Amino acid sequence: MKKTEENDNAAAVNEEPRIGVYVCHCGLNIGGSVDCEAVALSAAKLDNVVIADHQLYTCSEPGQERIKQDIAEHGLNRIVVAACSPRMHEPTFRSCVQDAGLNKYMLEMANIREHCSWVHLHDKAAGTEKSKDLVRMAVARARYLEPQEEIDVPVIKKALVIGGGVAGIQAALDLADSGYEVVLVEKEPSIGGRMAQIDKTFPTMDCSICILAPKMAEVGRHPNITLMSLTEVTNIGGYIGNFSVTLRHKAKYVNEDCSACSDCMKACPQHAPNEFDVGLATRKAIYIPFAQAVPSQYVIDMDLCLNKNGVRVCEKCVEACERKCINFEDHDREETFDVGTIIVCTGVDVFDAAQIPQYQYKKAPNVITSLEFERLINAGGPTHGQLIRPSDHRIPKSVAFVQCVGSRSRKTNPYCSNVCCMNTIKDALLIKEHWPETEIKVFYIDIRAFGKGFEDLFQRSKMEGVQFIQGLPGEIVQRKNGNLRMIGELMMLHELYDIEVEMVILSVGLKPSIGSDVVRKYLTLSRTSGGFFMVAHPKLRPVDTATRGVFLAGCSEGPKDIKEAVTQASAAAARANIIMHRGMVTVEAITARVDESMCTGCGLCAKVCPYQAIQINDRKKAVVIDAACSGCGTCSAECKFDAITMRHFTDRQILAQIDAFTEFEPEKKILAFCCNWCSYAGADFAGISRMQYAPQVRIIRTMCSGRVAQNFIEHAFARGVGVVLLSGCHIGDCHYIDANTFAEKRYKRMRRLMKQNGLDNNRMQLVWVSAAEGQKFQEKINSLVEKLKTVTPEEIKNSMRFFSEREKQRKEKKQKTRAGK
Amino acid sequence: MSFWRMPLDAEEQGVTVGEVHIIAYRCKGCRYCIEFCPNNVLAESEEFNEKGYHPPYAAKDGKCVNCNFCETICPEFAIFVTEGKPGNLQPADVLHDVKPGRRLQRKRRYGE
Ligand SMILES: Cc1cc2nc3c(=O)[nH]c(=O)nc-3n(C[C@H](O)[C@H](O)[C@H](O)COP(=O)(O)OP(=O)(O)OC[C@H]3O[C@@H](n4cnc5c(N)ncnc54)[C@H](O)[C@@H]3O)c2cc1C
Ligand code: SF4
Ligand code: SF4
Ligand code: SF4
Ligand code: SF4
């Protein structure tokens, strides 16, 4: 482990800045739309810049070597790399400068790819000008960079796995086998997830529960795994290595002595549809969801049981149970413990087909979903494996499958659910296996048989006589005898069809499970537009999240089949293992520091800190608890006396960026403050997706929108900026609990202030952009450019005068208070 | 999730049905059985008994699940229940938030 070379770098603070600037072409990615040479030349003219050059690939081995050489040769003490997003390569260049003996916080990046070349592909002149600005701002900030020392924190060698589907089971087993303590939390009475409900699995046609049950049983008896079923997550706090988790165990009313003999169940008079069988079978108030359930233990559904509100009316099950394991005094319990890493495996629910009324689901009894089909065809299901029509319990002679129900449509979900095509082919073959005479028609748009062994299965189904008809039905009409007319158009031939079948199976898509919401809330994970969790990098970090120490596996990350879910689970377990094996993590040095001589003890900072990381001590001074501070910077923005310094995002650094930004034609530009986790990432996403927008905007990154002090914005207006945009995560999604609400407050205060003083307050704007909302960012910038056109020179002049005056007054007032003390 | 289909194995399910017996002259009208019956089977009858009270009667006959609570709770030993012939599962026994069909809704609304 490398310790930061604090001592070597202590001098750097007082040293004259000697800056090296490296502009990267990134092949043609940047070089194609930005004149990198011109950018380097303009950088070379800036104060303190000792050397400025451009390279084809700065991140390559020779590129990095060059930086290291220059540091040694020219005594550089600060490095600016103008290249891709710091979210991509900051770690790379940090270790590069560290290797050359600099503190890694002495690196600054200018994002001229995601925020420039990729979004202004066809305007090289504007792209080049913008890059020059971005580099100038980075150099301005670099002048004030200071070396920081990171602290190592111990990692608790215990993991939490949320969700007991096949992914959660695999992740838990892998970690437990590596010797770590694992807590597996499942909200339902049993683990197993969707895979336990499926009959056979494509492409191998294995019996699903036969291959899953042994794994489930292993989870149940593994000495390193604590299985908590019927349990929900109610809070998660803390940070990598030291998460604090609170769970609620719902009352089961039956204890672990239960031998699952089913005597109680036979005695119980109360019936309900069994959720596990998608309502196709009945269960009792005291029940076990399915025979192979783990834990193998009955539970009582108190909403259904006759004993409500504490009145003991019925005791039939109690009387029937010989082992005396039923206890009506049981109640919900909360439990809190600490873990080092978390793996999220909250899986999927199926699309509610009733949302497409023309398919008659929930109206025509013989229209069923693919999940219902799995229970029907399963020997352990309600019909013991007989595929019968619900209306008359007869085996149908003709069956139609409808594909993409709730997938690939703008009206429902735009994404492909990934498993439904193969699932239908599997289902069709299963029907042919039992009832070869059945006529099977599959109505589809495209068949996606992309995986290993998939195409073979597809061809086999065709050989068995399954008919594939391209063109989804526009309407399904029920006839009196329960048969269904499929009416639609053949895609290729533009001919209408009207085909009668005895039963319809809707191939429903997958959507994020409802259980994922609560997890998202506490871990503040970003989601894609489809609602699935977002990984840190889609290619290179496919199971990491933006929150360190939290990993994803299975369908919570996106629709996928079992094999992929299991692969991801093992990958996530391996990633968690790396952290726990080391036993230590370094946390970023971005925390708040109080300057006692400036602090008046007013306590404002303590009030706004979302983590209660600031306390006012008995000497009336604010004290930051380093381990609890997450680095949002809200306290620093709130402090009226400049007493709080946010390390690596100091006032001085940010004001220097604003000054550099406003050096040329500020009235023609937009200044955007973006938070690291959502809106900056959203702007990156716009870049990755090549969403073109107007080039007038320059972005300043802060960790949280709560860091943006009102005086930054006022300073920008005082210097003549045309429009200021404040942006962050959506309310409720803030990476720092609720620090963005303070950004909202300041925004409203700014708007009010401008209005009261006769200024155009539409020049101050706010937008919440999630990491997936590149398009929203694009649209916002484009609309702001329209606004920019309406800002008159008088307006700019007035606001410059007004805000300069305010700045002056503020400074005087501050001096007075300090002198008065 | 709310389910709408009658489970396919409903016919295989026997439903416990209790037969309610009321010894009318013992009842002193405390209404305990009526209040506590989990299935709201019982209601006050119109008739008077010897003591001048309205004894209960099984208003929703067939819905008694033979839990025997009325028997336990009755201070006057005026009610007892015996197990009757098992019944068939009705939609209302399983689908606890069943909505009436469209035709029935219309009938109720317009009294057709
Ligand atoms: C009809 C159908 C047929 C399919 N057929 C096949 C097939 O033949 N072959 C194949 O490879 N794949 C098939 N799949 C896909 C397969 O089911 C999935 O790949 C697999 O189940 C994914 O596992 P998972 O663990 O990610 O999610 P899930 O199986 O959905 O499990 C998630 C678990 O997490 C729990 N959970 C959710 N939220 C919380 C919370 N907040 N707290 C605690 N627990 C929570 C859930 O209760 C659930 O048990 C099919 C899917 C469907 C719907
Ligand atoms: S007490 Fe509840 S769970 Fe037990 S038999 Fe009676 S209704 Fe069923
Ligand atoms: S009777 Fe008792 S032991 Fe048997 S299943 Fe019911 S609770 Fe468990
Ligand atoms: S407000 Fe933010 S930066 Fe300040 S102490 Fe709290 S967590 Fe740290
Ligand atoms: S036995 Fe139970 S369900 Fe039947 S009438 Fe008495 S209290 Fe009601």
Side-chain angles (χ1 to χ4, degrees), chain A residues 269 271-273 275 278-282 304 306 311-313 316 361-362 365 367-368 372 376 383 390 393, chain B residues 2-5 7-9 11-16 36 38-39 65-67 69 89 93-96 102:
Chain A
H271 294 80
E275 293 80 3
V278 210
L280 295 178
T282 41
L304 187 61
L306 292 169
V311 187
R312 283 277 279 282
V313 175
K316 284 182 198 259
Y361 184 66
K362 291 200 178 173
V367 177
I368 68 168
E372 288 174 327
L376 272 185
T383 59
H393 292 208
Chain B
S2 74
F3 295 106
W4 60 287
R5 239 186 243 288
L8 300 174
D9 61 353
E11 282 165 22
E12 297 163 28
Q13 304 288 331
V15 182
T16 327
F36 282 102
N39 276 1
V65 292
N66 193 20
C67 70
F69 193 64
L89 213 51
D93 300 331
V94 203
L95 306 172
H96 298 274
R102 228 185 303 169

Short mmCIF file of all heavy atoms in Angstrom, two decimals, chain A residues 269 271-273 275 278-282 304 306 311-313 316 361-362 365 367-368 372 376 383 390 393, chain B residues 2-5 7-9 11-16 36 38-39 65-67 69 89 93-96 102:
data_model
loop_
_atom_site.label_atom_id
_atom_site.label_comp_id
_atom_site.label_asym_id
_atom_site.label_seq_id
_atom_site.Cartn_x
_atom_site.Cartn_y
_atom_site.Cartn_z
N PRO A 269 -58.72 -22.48 8.26
CA PRO A 269 -59.89 -22.29 7.42
C PRO A 269 -59.78 -21.14 6.41
O PRO A 269 -60.68 -20.95 5.61
CB PRO A 269 -60.98 -21.97 8.45
CG PRO A 269 -60.26 -21.30 9.56
CD PRO A 269 -58.88 -21.87 9.59
N HIS A 271 -58.42 -18.98 3.19
CA HIS A 271 -57.78 -19.19 1.89
C HIS A 271 -57.41 -17.88 1.21
O HIS A 271 -58.08 -16.88 1.37
CB HIS A 271 -58.73 -19.92 0.93
CG HIS A 271 -59.04 -21.31 1.34
ND1 HIS A 271 -59.98 -21.60 2.31
CD2 HIS A 271 -58.55 -22.51 0.94
CE1 HIS A 271 -60.05 -22.90 2.48
NE2 HIS A 271 -59.19 -23.49 1.65
N ALA A 272 -56.34 -17.93 0.40
CA ALA A 272 -55.98 -16.80 -0.46
C ALA A 272 -55.21 -17.34 -1.65
O ALA A 272 -54.70 -18.45 -1.61
CB ALA A 272 -55.12 -15.81 0.32
N PRO A 273 -55.11 -16.56 -2.72
CA PRO A 273 -54.29 -17.01 -3.86
C PRO A 273 -52.82 -17.01 -3.45
O PRO A 273 -52.37 -16.09 -2.77
CB PRO A 273 -54.54 -15.94 -4.93
CG PRO A 273 -55.67 -15.11 -4.43
CD PRO A 273 -55.70 -15.24 -2.96
N GLU A 275 -49.13 -16.28 -3.90
CA GLU A 275 -48.33 -15.34 -4.70
C GLU A 275 -47.31 -16.09 -5.53
O GLU A 275 -47.04 -15.73 -6.68
CB GLU A 275 -47.60 -14.35 -3.80
CG GLU A 275 -48.48 -13.37 -3.05
CD GLU A 275 -49.12 -13.97 -1.81
OE1 GLU A 275 -48.83 -15.15 -1.49
OE2 GLU A 275 -49.93 -13.27 -1.17
N VAL A 278 -48.49 -17.21 -8.75
CA VAL A 278 -49.12 -16.10 -9.46
C VAL A 278 -50.64 -16.16 -9.32
O VAL A 278 -51.38 -15.86 -10.26
CB VAL A 278 -48.72 -16.05 -10.95
CG1 VAL A 278 -48.73 -14.61 -11.45
CG2 VAL A 278 -47.36 -16.65 -11.20
N GLY A 279 -51.11 -16.61 -8.17
CA GLY A 279 -52.55 -16.63 -7.92
C GLY A 279 -53.28 -17.80 -8.54
O GLY A 279 -54.50 -17.88 -8.48
N LEU A 280 -52.56 -18.73 -9.16
CA LEU A 280 -53.24 -19.85 -9.82
C LEU A 280 -53.55 -20.97 -8.84
O LEU A 280 -54.29 -21.89 -9.15
CB LEU A 280 -52.40 -20.38 -10.98
CG LEU A 280 -52.21 -19.41 -12.15
CD1 LEU A 280 -51.33 -20.01 -13.21
CD2 LEU A 280 -53.56 -19.02 -12.74
N ALA A 281 -52.93 -20.94 -7.66
CA ALA A 281 -53.23 -21.96 -6.65
C ALA A 281 -53.62 -21.25 -5.36
O ALA A 281 -53.34 -20.07 -5.18
CB ALA A 281 -52.01 -22.85 -6.42
N THR A 282 -54.26 -21.99 -4.47
CA THR A 282 -54.64 -21.40 -3.19
C THR A 282 -53.57 -21.71 -2.14
O THR A 282 -52.85 -22.68 -2.24
CB THR A 282 -55.97 -21.98 -2.67
OG1 THR A 282 -55.96 -23.37 -2.92
CG2 THR A 282 -57.14 -21.32 -3.30
N LEU A 304 -54.68 -12.16 6.70
CA LEU A 304 -55.67 -13.16 6.33
C LEU A 304 -56.15 -13.94 7.54
O LEU A 304 -57.31 -14.37 7.61
CB LEU A 304 -55.04 -14.10 5.30
CG LEU A 304 -55.95 -15.13 4.65
CD1 LEU A 304 -57.06 -14.44 3.89
CD2 LEU A 304 -55.15 -16.01 3.70
N LEU A 306 -57.58 -15.13 11.04
CA LEU A 306 -58.77 -14.63 11.73
C LEU A 306 -58.42 -13.82 12.97
O LEU A 306 -59.22 -13.05 13.47
CB LEU A 306 -59.66 -15.81 12.13
CG LEU A 306 -60.31 -16.57 10.96
CD1 LEU A 306 -60.94 -17.85 11.46
CD2 LEU A 306 -61.36 -15.70 10.29
N VAL A 311 -56.90 -10.09 19.01
CA VAL A 311 -57.96 -10.94 19.58
C VAL A 311 -57.72 -12.38 19.10
O VAL A 311 -57.67 -12.64 17.91
CB VAL A 311 -59.35 -10.47 19.12
CG1 VAL A 311 -60.43 -11.25 19.85
CG2 VAL A 311 -59.50 -8.99 19.35
N ARG A 312 -57.56 -13.28 20.05
CA ARG A 312 -57.31 -14.67 19.68
C ARG A 312 -58.64 -15.37 19.47
O ARG A 312 -59.26 -15.86 20.39
CB ARG A 312 -56.55 -15.37 20.81
CG ARG A 312 -55.09 -15.04 20.84
CD ARG A 312 -54.32 -15.91 19.87
NE ARG A 312 -54.05 -17.23 20.45
CZ ARG A 312 -53.10 -17.45 21.34
NH1 ARG A 312 -52.33 -16.49 21.76
NH2 ARG A 312 -52.91 -18.66 21.80
N VAL A 313 -59.08 -15.40 18.24
CA VAL A 313 -60.37 -15.99 17.90
C VAL A 313 -60.20 -17.46 17.54
O VAL A 313 -60.90 -18.34 18.00
CB VAL A 313 -60.99 -15.22 16.72
CG1 VAL A 313 -62.26 -15.88 16.26
CG2 VAL A 313 -61.24 -13.78 17.11
N LYS A 316 -56.91 -23.01 15.57
CA LYS A 316 -56.88 -24.31 14.91
C LYS A 316 -55.45 -24.76 14.62
O LYS A 316 -55.11 -25.92 14.82
CB LYS A 316 -57.66 -24.25 13.60
CG LYS A 316 -59.16 -24.27 13.84
CD LYS A 316 -59.89 -24.26 12.52
CE LYS A 316 -61.32 -23.83 12.71
NZ LYS A 316 -62.28 -24.91 12.73
N TYR A 361 -56.08 -8.95 -21.04
CA TYR A 361 -55.65 -9.64 -19.83
C TYR A 361 -56.47 -9.15 -18.65
O TYR A 361 -56.79 -7.96 -18.55
CB TYR A 361 -54.16 -9.40 -19.58
CG TYR A 361 -53.62 -10.17 -18.39
CD1 TYR A 361 -53.58 -11.56 -18.43
CD2 TYR A 361 -53.21 -9.52 -17.24
CE1 TYR A 361 -53.12 -12.29 -17.35
CE2 TYR A 361 -52.74 -10.24 -16.15
CZ TYR A 361 -52.71 -11.62 -16.21
OH TYR A 361 -52.26 -12.34 -15.13
N LYS A 362 -56.83 -10.02 -17.77
CA LYS A 362 -57.72 -9.79 -16.63
C LYS A 362 -59.17 -9.64 -17.07
O LYS A 362 -60.03 -9.35 -16.25
CB LYS A 362 -57.30 -8.57 -15.80
CG LYS A 362 -56.01 -8.78 -15.05
CD LYS A 362 -55.83 -7.82 -13.91
CE LYS A 362 -54.51 -8.15 -13.21
NZ LYS A 362 -54.15 -7.20 -12.18
N PRO A 365 -60.47 -14.93 -19.56
CA PRO A 365 -59.76 -15.89 -18.70
C PRO A 365 -58.69 -16.69 -19.43
O PRO A 365 -57.70 -17.09 -18.81
CB PRO A 365 -60.87 -16.80 -18.17
CG PRO A 365 -62.07 -16.55 -19.01
CD PRO A 365 -61.93 -15.17 -19.57
N VAL A 367 -56.54 -15.75 -21.55
CA VAL A 367 -55.31 -15.01 -21.84
C VAL A 367 -54.47 -15.05 -20.57
O VAL A 367 -54.89 -14.55 -19.53
CB VAL A 367 -55.61 -13.54 -22.22
CG1 VAL A 367 -54.31 -12.77 -22.44
CG2 VAL A 367 -56.48 -13.49 -23.47
N ILE A 368 -53.31 -15.69 -20.64
CA ILE A 368 -52.45 -15.79 -19.46
C ILE A 368 -51.08 -15.19 -19.76
O ILE A 368 -50.76 -14.90 -20.91
CB ILE A 368 -52.29 -17.25 -18.98
CG1 ILE A 368 -51.49 -18.08 -19.98
CG2 ILE A 368 -53.64 -17.89 -18.70
CD1 ILE A 368 -51.05 -19.43 -19.45
N GLU A 372 -47.41 -17.05 -15.56
CA GLU A 372 -48.49 -17.98 -15.19
C GLU A 372 -48.29 -19.32 -15.90
O GLU A 372 -48.52 -20.39 -15.32
CB GLU A 372 -49.86 -17.39 -15.56
CG GLU A 372 -50.28 -16.24 -14.65
CD GLU A 372 -51.57 -15.55 -15.08
OE1 GLU A 372 -51.84 -15.47 -16.30
OE2 GLU A 372 -52.30 -15.09 -14.20
N LEU A 376 -48.24 -23.22 -14.61
CA LEU A 376 -49.17 -24.21 -15.15
C LEU A 376 -48.46 -25.46 -15.62
O LEU A 376 -48.91 -26.57 -15.39
CB LEU A 376 -49.92 -23.61 -16.34
CG LEU A 376 -51.20 -22.84 -16.07
CD1 LEU A 376 -51.82 -22.44 -17.40
CD2 LEU A 376 -52.17 -23.71 -15.29
N THR A 383 -51.91 -27.29 -11.39
CA THR A 383 -52.60 -28.30 -12.22
C THR A 383 -51.73 -29.53 -12.40
O THR A 383 -51.99 -30.35 -13.26
CB THR A 383 -52.91 -27.71 -13.60
OG1 THR A 383 -51.66 -27.31 -14.20
CG2 THR A 383 -53.82 -26.51 -13.52
N PRO A 390 -58.02 -21.79 -18.32
CA PRO A 390 -58.72 -21.47 -17.07
C PRO A 390 -60.24 -21.49 -17.23
O PRO A 390 -60.94 -21.84 -16.29
CB PRO A 390 -58.22 -20.06 -16.75
CG PRO A 390 -56.87 -20.00 -17.38
CD PRO A 390 -56.99 -20.81 -18.64
N HIS A 393 -61.01 -25.60 -18.08
CA HIS A 393 -60.07 -26.63 -17.62
C HIS A 393 -59.83 -27.72 -18.66
O HIS A 393 -59.65 -28.88 -18.33
CB HIS A 393 -60.56 -27.25 -16.29
CG HIS A 393 -60.51 -26.27 -15.15
ND1 HIS A 393 -60.34 -26.66 -13.84
CD2 HIS A 393 -60.58 -24.93 -15.12
CE1 HIS A 393 -60.33 -25.59 -13.05
NE2 HIS A 393 -60.47 -24.52 -13.82
N SER B 2 -52.52 -7.75 -6.61
CA SER B 2 -53.90 -8.20 -6.43
C SER B 2 -54.21 -9.23 -7.51
O SER B 2 -53.88 -9.05 -8.67
CB SER B 2 -54.85 -7.02 -6.51
OG SER B 2 -54.96 -6.61 -7.84
N PHE B 3 -54.83 -10.31 -7.08
CA PHE B 3 -55.15 -11.36 -8.04
C PHE B 3 -56.62 -11.29 -8.41
O PHE B 3 -57.45 -10.83 -7.66
CB PHE B 3 -54.82 -12.73 -7.46
CG PHE B 3 -53.35 -12.89 -7.22
CD1 PHE B 3 -52.84 -12.85 -5.93
CD2 PHE B 3 -52.47 -13.03 -8.28
CE1 PHE B 3 -51.48 -12.98 -5.71
CE2 PHE B 3 -51.11 -13.15 -8.07
CZ PHE B 3 -50.61 -13.14 -6.78
N TRP B 4 -56.91 -11.76 -9.58
CA TRP B 4 -58.27 -11.60 -10.08
C TRP B 4 -58.87 -12.93 -10.49
O TRP B 4 -60.08 -13.06 -10.65
CB TRP B 4 -58.24 -10.70 -11.31
CG TRP B 4 -57.39 -11.27 -12.40
CD1 TRP B 4 -56.04 -11.34 -12.40
CD2 TRP B 4 -57.82 -11.92 -13.58
NE1 TRP B 4 -55.59 -11.97 -13.53
CE2 TRP B 4 -56.68 -12.33 -14.28
CE3 TRP B 4 -59.07 -12.17 -14.12
CZ2 TRP B 4 -56.74 -12.99 -15.49
CZ3 TRP B 4 -59.12 -12.82 -15.35
CH2 TRP B 4 -57.96 -13.23 -16.02
N ARG B 5 -58.04 -13.94 -10.67
CA ARG B 5 -58.50 -15.23 -11.17
C ARG B 5 -58.87 -16.12 -10.00
O ARG B 5 -58.21 -16.10 -8.99
CB ARG B 5 -57.31 -15.89 -11.85
CG ARG B 5 -57.47 -16.23 -13.27
CD ARG B 5 -56.24 -17.01 -13.65
NE ARG B 5 -55.43 -16.34 -14.66
CZ ARG B 5 -55.78 -16.22 -15.92
NH1 ARG B 5 -56.93 -16.68 -16.34
NH2 ARG B 5 -54.99 -15.62 -16.77
N PRO B 7 -58.32 -19.36 -8.23
CA PRO B 7 -57.24 -20.34 -8.36
C PRO B 7 -57.75 -21.63 -9.00
O PRO B 7 -58.90 -22.03 -8.77
CB PRO B 7 -56.81 -20.58 -6.92
CG PRO B 7 -57.18 -19.35 -6.20
CD PRO B 7 -58.43 -18.85 -6.86
N LEU B 8 -56.88 -22.25 -9.80
CA LEU B 8 -57.34 -23.39 -10.59
C LEU B 8 -57.57 -24.64 -9.73
O LEU B 8 -58.22 -25.57 -10.16
CB LEU B 8 -56.32 -23.68 -11.70
CG LEU B 8 -56.10 -22.52 -12.67
CD1 LEU B 8 -54.98 -22.83 -13.64
CD2 LEU B 8 -57.38 -22.19 -13.43
N ASP B 9 -56.98 -24.63 -8.54
CA ASP B 9 -57.18 -25.80 -7.69
C ASP B 9 -58.30 -25.56 -6.66
O ASP B 9 -58.40 -26.28 -5.67
CB ASP B 9 -55.89 -26.18 -6.98
CG ASP B 9 -55.39 -25.06 -6.07
OD1 ASP B 9 -55.98 -23.96 -6.10
OD2 ASP B 9 -54.42 -25.28 -5.32
N GLU B 11 -61.40 -26.18 -6.64
CA GLU B 11 -62.34 -27.27 -6.43
C GLU B 11 -61.79 -28.33 -5.48
O GLU B 11 -62.53 -29.05 -4.83
CB GLU B 11 -62.71 -27.91 -7.76
CG GLU B 11 -63.71 -27.08 -8.51
CD GLU B 11 -63.82 -27.47 -9.97
OE1 GLU B 11 -63.46 -28.61 -10.32
OE2 GLU B 11 -64.25 -26.62 -10.76
N GLU B 12 -60.46 -28.42 -5.44
CA GLU B 12 -59.86 -29.42 -4.56
C GLU B 12 -59.88 -28.99 -3.11
O GLU B 12 -59.55 -29.76 -2.22
CB GLU B 12 -58.40 -29.68 -4.98
CG GLU B 12 -58.25 -30.27 -6.37
CD GLU B 12 -56.83 -30.13 -6.90
OE1 GLU B 12 -55.89 -30.09 -6.09
OE2 GLU B 12 -56.68 -30.06 -8.13
N GLN B 13 -60.19 -27.71 -2.88
CA GLN B 13 -60.12 -27.19 -1.53
C GLN B 13 -61.46 -27.33 -0.83
O GLN B 13 -62.45 -26.79 -1.27
CB GLN B 13 -59.74 -25.70 -1.55
CG GLN B 13 -58.47 -25.40 -2.27
CD GLN B 13 -57.25 -25.87 -1.49
OE1 GLN B 13 -57.26 -25.92 -0.28
NE2 GLN B 13 -56.20 -26.23 -2.22
N GLY B 14 -61.47 -28.05 0.27
CA GLY B 14 -62.69 -28.11 1.08
C GLY B 14 -62.69 -26.94 2.04
O GLY B 14 -61.65 -26.55 2.54
N VAL B 15 -63.84 -26.36 2.23
CA VAL B 15 -63.92 -25.24 3.15
C VAL B 15 -64.63 -25.70 4.42
O VAL B 15 -65.70 -26.31 4.34
CB VAL B 15 -64.71 -24.08 2.53
CG1 VAL B 15 -64.74 -22.90 3.47
CG2 VAL B 15 -64.10 -23.71 1.21
N THR B 16 -64.00 -25.41 5.54
CA THR B 16 -64.64 -25.77 6.81
C THR B 16 -65.91 -24.91 6.96
O THR B 16 -65.84 -23.70 6.83
CB THR B 16 -63.71 -25.44 7.98
OG1 THR B 16 -62.38 -25.64 7.55
CG2 THR B 16 -64.05 -26.26 9.20
N PHE B 36 -67.47 -10.08 18.04
CA PHE B 36 -66.16 -10.73 17.90
C PHE B 36 -66.08 -11.76 16.80
O PHE B 36 -64.98 -12.20 16.47
CB PHE B 36 -65.75 -11.36 19.24
CG PHE B 36 -65.23 -10.34 20.21
CD1 PHE B 36 -66.02 -9.86 21.25
CD2 PHE B 36 -63.95 -9.84 20.06
CE1 PHE B 36 -65.55 -8.90 22.12
CE2 PHE B 36 -63.47 -8.88 20.93
CZ PHE B 36 -64.27 -8.40 21.97
N PRO B 38 -65.15 -13.30 13.71
CA PRO B 38 -64.20 -12.75 12.73
C PRO B 38 -64.81 -12.65 11.33
O PRO B 38 -64.31 -11.89 10.51
CB PRO B 38 -63.03 -13.74 12.75
CG PRO B 38 -63.62 -15.01 13.24
CD PRO B 38 -64.71 -14.63 14.20
N ASN B 39 -65.83 -13.40 11.07
CA ASN B 39 -66.40 -13.37 9.72
C ASN B 39 -67.73 -12.64 9.66
O ASN B 39 -68.45 -12.75 8.67
CB ASN B 39 -66.56 -14.79 9.18
CG ASN B 39 -65.27 -15.28 8.58
OD1 ASN B 39 -64.28 -14.56 8.58
ND2 ASN B 39 -65.27 -16.50 8.07
N VAL B 65 -66.67 -20.40 10.04
CA VAL B 65 -65.53 -21.29 9.82
C VAL B 65 -65.29 -22.21 11.02
O VAL B 65 -64.26 -22.85 11.12
CB VAL B 65 -64.25 -20.52 9.50
CG1 VAL B 65 -64.37 -19.86 8.15
CG2 VAL B 65 -63.95 -19.50 10.58
N ASN B 66 -66.22 -22.23 11.91
CA ASN B 66 -66.13 -23.13 13.05
C ASN B 66 -64.92 -22.84 13.92
O ASN B 66 -64.22 -23.73 14.35
CB ASN B 66 -66.08 -24.59 12.54
CG ASN B 66 -66.30 -25.58 13.68
OD1 ASN B 66 -66.85 -25.22 14.72
ND2 ASN B 66 -65.86 -26.81 13.49
N CYS B 67 -64.70 -21.56 14.18
CA CYS B 67 -63.56 -21.22 15.02
C CYS B 67 -63.92 -21.36 16.50
O CYS B 67 -63.04 -21.38 17.35
CB CYS B 67 -63.06 -19.81 14.73
SG CYS B 67 -64.17 -18.51 15.28
N PHE B 69 -65.14 -19.35 18.54
CA PHE B 69 -64.86 -18.24 19.45
C PHE B 69 -66.14 -17.76 20.14
O PHE B 69 -66.13 -17.44 21.33
CB PHE B 69 -64.20 -17.09 18.70
CG PHE B 69 -63.60 -16.07 19.62
CD1 PHE B 69 -62.55 -16.42 20.46
CD2 PHE B 69 -64.10 -14.78 19.69
CE1 PHE B 69 -62.00 -15.49 21.32
CE2 PHE B 69 -63.55 -13.85 20.55
CZ PHE B 69 -62.48 -14.21 21.36
N LEU B 89 -65.18 -23.70 -2.25
CA LEU B 89 -64.58 -22.37 -2.17
C LEU B 89 -65.31 -21.40 -3.10
O LEU B 89 -65.50 -21.70 -4.28
CB LEU B 89 -63.11 -22.50 -2.58
CG LEU B 89 -62.10 -21.61 -1.93
CD1 LEU B 89 -62.21 -21.65 -0.42
CD2 LEU B 89 -60.71 -22.02 -2.37
N ASP B 93 -64.29 -16.10 -0.88
CA ASP B 93 -63.45 -16.72 0.15
C ASP B 93 -61.97 -16.57 -0.17
O ASP B 93 -61.12 -16.71 0.69
CB ASP B 93 -63.75 -18.22 0.25
CG ASP B 93 -65.20 -18.47 0.63
OD1 ASP B 93 -65.77 -17.61 1.31
OD2 ASP B 93 -65.74 -19.52 0.24
N VAL B 94 -61.65 -16.37 -1.45
CA VAL B 94 -60.25 -16.35 -1.86
C VAL B 94 -59.81 -14.95 -2.27
O VAL B 94 -58.78 -14.45 -1.84
CB VAL B 94 -59.99 -17.27 -3.07
CG1 VAL B 94 -58.55 -17.66 -3.12
CG2 VAL B 94 -60.90 -18.47 -3.04
N LEU B 95 -60.59 -14.36 -3.17
CA LEU B 95 -60.20 -13.07 -3.72
C LEU B 95 -60.77 -12.01 -2.82
O LEU B 95 -61.94 -11.69 -2.89
CB LEU B 95 -60.73 -12.93 -5.15
CG LEU B 95 -60.34 -14.08 -6.06
CD1 LEU B 95 -61.06 -13.99 -7.38
CD2 LEU B 95 -58.84 -14.11 -6.28
N HIS B 96 -59.92 -11.49 -1.95
CA HIS B 96 -60.48 -10.69 -0.87
C HIS B 96 -60.82 -9.26 -1.29
O HIS B 96 -61.40 -8.54 -0.54
CB HIS B 96 -59.54 -10.73 0.33
CG HIS B 96 -59.43 -12.14 0.83
ND1 HIS B 96 -60.33 -12.68 1.72
CD2 HIS B 96 -58.60 -13.15 0.49
CE1 HIS B 96 -60.02 -13.96 1.93
NE2 HIS B 96 -58.98 -14.26 1.20
N ARG B 102 -68.88 -6.32 -14.76
CA ARG B 102 -69.39 -5.08 -15.29
C ARG B 102 -70.93 -5.08 -15.32
O ARG B 102 -71.57 -4.11 -15.00
CB ARG B 102 -68.85 -4.84 -16.70
CG ARG B 102 -68.33 -3.42 -16.84
CD ARG B 102 -67.91 -3.13 -18.24
NE ARG B 102 -66.90 -4.07 -18.71
CZ ARG B 102 -66.53 -4.14 -19.99
NH1 ARG B 102 -67.07 -3.35 -20.87
NH2 ARG B 102 -65.60 -5.00 -20.37
#
